[in-house]
Amino acid sequence: MARPKVAVAKPKKIAKRIVKKSVVRAVTNRPAQMKADPKVTGPHDEGWPELPPPSTKPWGEAGKALEGVRILDFTHVQSGPTCTQLLGYMGADCIKVERPGVGDITRGQLRDVKGADSLYFTMLNGNKRSITIDSKHPKGKEILERLIQHCDVLVENFAPGALDRMGLTWDYIHKTNPRMIVASVKGFGPGPYEDCKVYENVAQCAGGAASTTGFREGPPLVTGAQIGDSGTGLHLAFGIVSALYQRMRTGRGQRVRCAMQDGVLNLARVKLRDQQRLTHGPLTEYSQHGEGVPFGKAVPRAGNDSGGGQPGWILKCKGWETDPDAYTYFITQAPVWGSICDLIGKPEWKTDPDYATPPARLPRLRHIFNTIEEWTKTKTKFEVMDICNQHDIPVGPILSMKEIAEDQSLRDTATVVEVDHPTRGKYLTVGNPIKMSDSITEVKRSPLLGEHTEQILIEELGYSAEEFAAIKNSGAITPSGKKETEAA
Ligand code: CAO
């Protein structure tokens, strides 16, 4: 068998080289180092370097933040794919490994166009290449070994133990490529539930979001924002980038793990704040306090109360009788209380001791918001936005997904992007929410199943055409005996 063209890292040498070049080192030793090297000594003295000039390249042509980073993407469903898509947006090369003939289960879930990959899949797997490999097939394992040597980061969100059952244990991976970072999403961290499979809403419930969402008199509610899946994917991406940075100093990979329960709790931390405050007395900014309803032992559901120190609520706007989204969020921010009073025709509230100060208003919040609503009901949510912003009053229209899809400003910033796909045609996706001046994001369509199998095996892993043909016949990259092209 021909040797693969993979440039397998020699860990020790690389570590040495990288530590020498390390940014952190350079910063730590800056004065001495700068004096020694006239090329990097700045004009302003004391041995500090000249500040780097701004990029001279046109917008978006200064490279990409994660260019050169290769991701072995073993993710599926939502949490893992969110993470790797973000890394792809930043310029990493994501090689998505999928089961031959099957692929990520979401390709076929919630299908809207017959025979085409679903939006569930396409919107979470842009900027990736797809290779089909049966990871339990002996030849598949061999290919994976080359990929592990070839890549910098393995990302997975299988059920607990699944990666080990494939033979891809940490010990094996670390031995095969000591520089590799292995990043995982699991439902729970170590503890009583560590072996459980977890989906979005389980995480929202276990992370404290559901018990604190909804109305006091109703059951717990999950939120439409996928804080368990996409939220944890985002956390994992941060962990991976941090591990890559640390690897510049150590030359060594490490394991990065994010539990969905932990990710949700991190996003719900203000509720853990309130849990502790509760031991010192009632939560006065919750409207139930003003309504005289006593608190129990745990943080209650707060309806649409603001989670911060400035009371807020969702109020009806013009057209609410027929439009389910004709509402605005209205915050009675203390510094602009006078403007609010003038606007809603209650100038006397500015001096009335029952309304003039934030503590005086707390027991009357329901009445205050009902009064403000009488004013907002006479305006559309966009008129409320325009008028209130002229007075620095923080408000926000409740935008429907239809309005967001059609919003020109979100298109202009490439937050909402239209992508063309060979089998489903044009679709909208969410672009990179993180904007960088020297690392522009090109949003690319998701790959077809196995679209890049041949390219990766031959051009990158060094298999010859004959070897590729043999692999195809082995069943390692095709669904039980079928040709790879049929799988795609
Ligand atoms: N070749 C061969 N086998 C493959 C393969 C490949 N390329 N890719 C996956 N498989 C196999 C796995 O090895 C596993 O087999 P075993 O159980 O026999 O070892 C099997 O496919 C199923 O993997 P899974 O258990 O991860 O998938 P599932 O559909 O049963 O569970 C999920 C899905 C999401 C509940 C589970 O993966 C999980 O809990 N993940 C961690 C938490 C998470 O990310 N949840 C968010 C999901 S998004 O809402």
Side-chain angles (χ1 to χ4, degrees):
M1 187 191 73
R3 281 198 48 80
K5 284 185 211 145
V6 189
V8 179
K10 290 217 175 88
K12 272 190 189 152
K13 277 192 186 160
I14 286 188
K16 239 178 163 180
R17 197 179 69 222
I18 285 171
V19 167
K20 227 174 158 185
K21 282 189 166 179
S22 155
V23 173
V24 169
R25 268 272 181 101
V27 170
T28 319
N29 302 329
R30 192 153 37 185
Q33 216 177 27
M34 297 309 147
K35 270 181 190 145
D37 183 352
K39 286 200 294 296
V40 286
T41 302
H44 335 284
D45 66 33
E46 334 260 319
W48 286 86
E50 188 174 0
L51 292 175
S55 169
T56 52
K57 308 251 174 153
W59 175 259
E61 288 179 23
K64 296 200 175 128
L66 294 182
E67 203 155 1
V69 174
R70 292 192 194 117
I71 309 289
L72 180 50
D73 181 354
F74 250 122
T75 67
H76 66 158
V77 201
Q78 187 183 161
S79 63
T82 316
C83 165
T84 50
Q85 181 169 263
L86 272 175
L87 299 173
Y89 281 173
M90 292 301 185
D93 177 14
C94 294
I95 300 175
K96 182 166 172 117
V97 178
E98 295 182 85
R99 207 193 317 215
V102 183
D104 188 325
I105 193 169
T106 60
R107 283 185 184 268
Q109 281 180 340
L110 314 176
R111 263 199 177 128
D112 56 328
V113 176
K114 206 170 167 228
D117 288 332
S118 70
L119 287 165
Y120 195 3
F121 178 83
T122 52
M123 291 180 69
L124 285 163
N125 291 284
N127 295 46
K128 300 180 189 179
R129 296 188 286 163
S130 167
I131 180 170
T132 48
I133 305 173
D134 179 349
S135 59
K136 292 173 179 159
H137 189 287
K139 198 74 193 168
K141 284 176 192 286
E142 184 207 295
I143 298 168
L144 280 172
E145 185 163 301
R146 288 198 194 187
L147 276 169
I148 289 168
Q149 290 165 344
H150 185 63
C151 293
D152 299 281
V153 188
L154 184 155
V155 191
E156 62 94 21
N157 67 309
F158 290 124
L163 198 66
D164 287 355
R165 288 195 291 278
M166 288 179 186
L168 302 179
T169 60
W170 164 251
D171 287 345
Y172 164 77
I173 295 170
H174 195 57
K175 211 167 134 210
T176 307
N177 179 1
R179 289 172 52 72
M180 176 159 266
I181 291 154
V182 178
S184 306
V185 169
K186 296 289 164 249
F188 293 94
Y193 305 124
E194 64 187 309
D195 291 329
C196 300
K197 286 185 177 177
V198 168
Y199 281 104
E200 170 69 44
N201 289 345
V202 176
Q204 287 200 24
C205 294
S211 67
T212 52
T213 302
F215 289 94
R216 199 174 59 242
E217 51 281 5
L221 273 191
V222 293
T223 160
Q226 305 285 281
I227 55 176
D229 279 339
S230 291
T232 309
L234 186 53
H235 283 93
L236 193 71
F238 174 67
I240 290 169
V241 172
S242 301
L244 281 166
Y245 188 74
Q246 190 171 4
R247 196 182 72 171
M248 290 170 68
R249 296 199 307 276
T250 64
R252 205 171 48 236
Q254 61 181 295
R255 280 169 284 184
V256 180
R257 289 190 179 161
C258 287
M260 293 166 74
Q261 181 186 38
D262 301 4
V264 170
L265 178 59
N266 187 35
L267 298 175
R269 68 171 51 222
V270 296
K271 298 299 178 179
L272 187 57
R273 171 201 70 192
D274 291 349
Q275 183 60 43
Q276 296 170 86
R277 290 173 58 223
L278 202 48
T279 58
H280 299 289
L283 305 172
T284 52
E285 79 285 12
Y286 280 53
S287 33
Q288 86 173 65
H289 175 63
E291 290 160 27
V293 180
F295 285 85
K297 291 204 166 107
V299 174
R301 294 186 261 295
N304 287 320
D305 281 331
S306 149
Q310 308 286 354
W313 198 257
I314 287 184
L315 306 179
K316 292 170 182 158
C317 292
K318 197 172 179 177
W320 66 274
E321 299 90 337
T322 51
D323 178 355
D325 299 310
Y327 288 83
T328 187
Y329 199 89
F330 198 106
I331 299 177
T332 54
Q333 193 203 15
V336 289
W337 175 243
S339 303
I340 295 170
C341 296
D342 288 337
L343 210 57
I344 63 171
K346 287 282 180 191
E348 66 275 18
W349 278 3
K350 289 190 279 187
T351 47
D352 185 332
D354 280 350
Y355 296 91
T357 63
R361 292 195 287 275
L362 284 176
R364 299 174 178 77
L365 285 178
R366 180 58 64 95
H367 171 64
I368 289 171
F369 282 120
N370 285 344
T371 309
I372 298 173
E373 193 173 57
E374 288 309 310
W375 177 78
T376 58
K377 279 199 302 196
T378 66
K379 312 270 178 267
T380 69
K381 61 189 177 186
F382 296 110
E383 287 167 347
V384 171
M385 181 78 172
D386 289 344
I387 297 167
C388 287
N389 274 295
Q390 285 166 25
H391 299 277
D392 280 342
I393 301 166
V395 295
I398 308 304
L399 294 183
S400 69
M401 274 299 158
K402 182 171 185 297
E403 286 162 330
I404 286 172
E406 292 164 358
D407 186 316
Q408 191 54 46
S409 64
L410 292 175
R411 301 281 184 111
D412 292 345
T413 55
T415 296
V416 174
V417 183
E418 191 174 78
V419 188
D420 208 358
H421 186 275
T423 56
R424 65 169 302 116
K426 291 193 174 18
Y427 66 94
L428 287 185
T429 192
V430 182
N432 193 349
I434 304 156
K435 318 292 182 193
M436 292 165 72
S437 61
D438 272 8
S439 178
I440 201 169
T441 300
E442 288 172 83
V443 178
K444 298 180 193 152
R445 72 165 171 88
S446 61
L448 299 172
L449 180 59
E451 187 176 341
H452 305 95
T453 305
E454 183 171 348
Q455 179 196 70
I456 293 166
L457 289 182
I458 294 181
E459 292 173 22
E460 283 168 53
L461 299 187
Y463 288 101
S464 67
E466 297 73 48
E467 285 171 326
F468 177 67
I471 291 172
K472 256 168 131 180
N473 284 333
S474 75
I477 58 172
T478 52
S480 48
K482 286 187 196 160
K483 292 203 167 142
E484 199 268 336
T485 43
E486 288 171 48

